[in-house]
Amino acid sequence: MNAVNQGSACCGLRSKNAVVLVANKEGGQADDLSEHTEKIFAIDKHIGIVVAGLVADARYLSKWMINECLNHSWAFETPINSGRLVTALADKSQVYTQKSEKRPYGVGLLVAGIDKTGPHLYQTDPSGDFFEFEANAMGNRSQSARTYLEKNFEAFPDCSVDELIKHGMLAIKSTAQDPLSTRNVSIGVVTKDNAFRLLSEEELRPHIEAVKDEEVEAAEDEKKEDEKEEKSHSRDWAYYYYYYYYYYYYYYYYYYYYYYYYY
């Protein structure tokens, strides 16, 4: 789990008709002559994964999952159920926690899939555990993303694909050290009507701009609230100062008059 927690953050969200995967690819030191490591992989037309941890292990497991999908389609002439594939993956991962000849896989997966029972989002751990979620995040600094998802998950079932992407971007933004861009963010989407696919850079730009615009609006609202609070604070001090000044001199003259009159 340490390898999973040290990997760059990623998250997944599902609605009634779609599942969205969002990955922050800032783990590697990319420059003008290189690119960040890919973290989202297409497994089948109806299944995709996003990973956190050792990408080499993730590539091996993704190839194994693709092979399982092909074998199931060839044997039964129907796409594999996403829950069945995740169960087989969890069993495979759990075997190496009991044997000494190989180490456990150092990667966690969020698996997005759609089948006859609807959209699904699963998380698998190196220990072999797996869980189904409405939304979840994992990786480095993912707690802030989970906090955002926990606050807003009740609205996800009725969200459109664009709204799900926006929520995913806002969740992953809180984990990023650098500003979001088309180079350090990737998004995968699968819906009931369309196969799993990665969004291109041209498709990513409007979503990134929408998040930046919301950041600007949030900053302006926060600034207005601070100014309002500062004005209120100033009025309070003026109020206290005025009454302190009034009562001080009132009692001063009162006692002075009293002392002069009687003595």
Side-chain angles (χ1 to χ4, degrees):
M1 287 303 296
N2 287 334
V4 177
N5 294 331
Q6 291 175 5
S8 55
C10 59
C11 69
L13 313 85
R14 76 173 186 179
S15 66
K16 294 179 180 178
N17 301 308
V19 186
V20 172
L21 301 177
V22 183
N24 180 14
K25 301 187 294 183
E26 67 179 10
Q29 297 296 326
D31 53 30
D32 294 338
L33 300 179
S34 63
E35 294 182 354
H36 291 281
T37 303
E38 290 296 332
K39 292 170 58 68
I40 299 181
F41 304 94
I43 303 301
D44 204 344
K45 291 182 178 180
H46 64 298
I47 297 176
I49 63 172
V50 62
V51 303
L54 301 179
V55 180
D57 289 359
R59 292 183 184 277
Y60 174 80
L61 290 177
S62 67
K63 291 179 181 179
W64 177 86
M65 295 172 73
I66 291 172
N67 191 53
E68 287 292 307
C69 291
L70 291 174
N71 289 339
H72 188 279
S73 297
W74 181 82
F76 301 102
E77 298 183 353
T78 184
I80 190 171
N81 185 282
S82 56
R84 181 173 180 175
L85 178 63
V86 171
T87 301
L89 174 62
D91 291 341
K92 181 178 178 64
S93 299
Q94 200 273 337
V95 167
Y96 292 111
T97 65
Q98 303 180 27
K99 296 183 178 181
S100 59
E101 63 265 21
K102 283 190 177 182
R103 62 170 175 79
Y105 297 111
V107 64
L109 282 69
L110 290 176
V111 183
I114 288 185
D115 49 38
K116 294 180 180 179
T117 59
H120 299 280
L121 176 67
Y122 298 95
Q123 176 187 340
T124 66
D125 294 332
S127 63
D129 291 333
F130 68 95
F131 310 91
E132 186 172 4
F133 291 93
E134 293 287 341
N136 196 27
M138 61 181 182
N140 192 18
R141 300 184 299 276
S142 61
Q143 182 56 51
S144 56
R146 282 195 292 270
T147 300
Y148 175 86
L149 296 174
E150 288 172 359
K151 290 180 179 179
N152 298 276
F153 79 95
E154 293 180 351
F156 294 164
D158 298 323
C159 286
S160 64
V161 174
D162 290 340
E163 291 172 340
L164 273 185
I165 292 175
K166 183 177 180 181
H167 283 296
M169 294 280 286
L170 291 173
I172 214 68
K173 176 182 68 68
S174 60
T175 70
Q177 293 179 328
D178 300 324
L180 300 183
S181 67
T182 56
R183 296 195 64 190
N184 62 8
V185 173
S186 58
I187 298 176
V189 179
V190 60
T191 66
K192 289 184 177 180
D193 300 325
N194 298 306
F196 183 86
R197 68 185 184 91
L198 288 172
L199 299 188
S200 63
E201 290 188 4
E202 291 74 15
E203 293 174 310
L204 276 175
R205 285 194 182 94
H207 298 292
I208 294 175
E209 292 299 326
V211 172
K212 290 181 179 179
D213 293 340
E214 183 156 330
E215 288 180 359
V216 173
E217 293 178 359
E220 291 178 352
D221 293 340
E222 184 177 357
K223 184 178 180 181
K224 291 179 181 178
E225 289 294 330
D226 292 341
E227 292 176 351
K228 184 178 179 181
E229 183 177 355
E230 185 176 353
K231 291 180 179 178
S232 176
H233 188 66
S234 300
R235 287 196 301 268
D236 291 341
W237 273 107
Y239 176 82
Y240 292 133
Y241 179 80
Y242 171 77
Y243 277 95
Y244 174 79
Y245 181 85
Y246 176 79
Y247 282 112
Y248 175 79
Y249 281 97
Y250 174 79
Y251 284 112
Y252 175 78
Y253 283 114
Y254 174 78
Y255 285 114
Y256 178 79
Y257 175 78
Y258 179 82
Y259 178 81
Y260 180 78
Y261 182 80
Y262 286 98
Y263 294 98

